[in-house]
Amino acid sequence: TAVKMYFWDERDGLEFSGWWFGPEVGGNEVWARHPSRLAKTPPSKDWNIPHKSGIDSTFSLSLWKGEKEKEKEKERSQAASPSGNQHRGSASSQAATPYSA
């Protein structure tokens, strides 16, 4: 079974918003939940596992950048500065690396 990690907004109420683990996005079967509505990426600790239980202090989450994400990041960096030099004193607006689980 593939594991999906996703954020659910407040459309169904505060008790359903937050970060979730389950076999499908928005499904009825879920395994873990983190109630944070402010975290832009999945929190590393304080997950409720199972989702209706208390915090499982033995669980932690680490984000890993795969080879594809590293290559995209490298390409963006080179496109922003073709000579390889960063421009000092100027603002740069690079897109954030998307989260993938």
Side-chain angles (χ1 to χ4, degrees):
T1 299
V3 177
K4 308 288 186 198
M5 173 184 281
Y6 59 95
F7 179 81
W8 199 258
D9 63 18
E10 299 172 2
R11 74 183 78 189
D12 295 323
L14 293 177
E15 67 273 13
F16 296 109
S17 65
W19 290 91
W20 296 86
F21 278 98
E24 62 182 274
V25 174
N28 290 328
E29 182 181 1
V30 292
W31 303 311
R33 176 180 183 253
H34 194 290
S36 177
R37 292 182 307 278
L38 303 176
K40 302 265 187 220
T41 59
S44 62
K45 59 183 182 174
D46 298 333
W47 284 81
N48 299 92
I49 304 174
H51 74 284
K52 290 186 178 182
S53 295
I55 293 172
D56 182 342
S57 61
T58 65
F59 179 81
S60 66
L61 182 67
S62 299
L63 297 181
W64 174 77
K65 285 187 181 180
E67 292 304 315
K68 287 182 181 181
E69 287 82 8
K70 288 179 185 177
E71 188 62 32
K72 287 179 187 177
E73 194 172 79
K74 183 178 177 182
E75 289 172 5
R76 280 194 302 268
S77 176
Q78 290 173 346
S81 180
S83 67
N85 295 326
Q86 293 296 327
H87 300 284
R88 293 184 182 184
S90 64
S92 173
S93 60
Q94 291 182 334
T97 302
Y99 174 75
S100 61

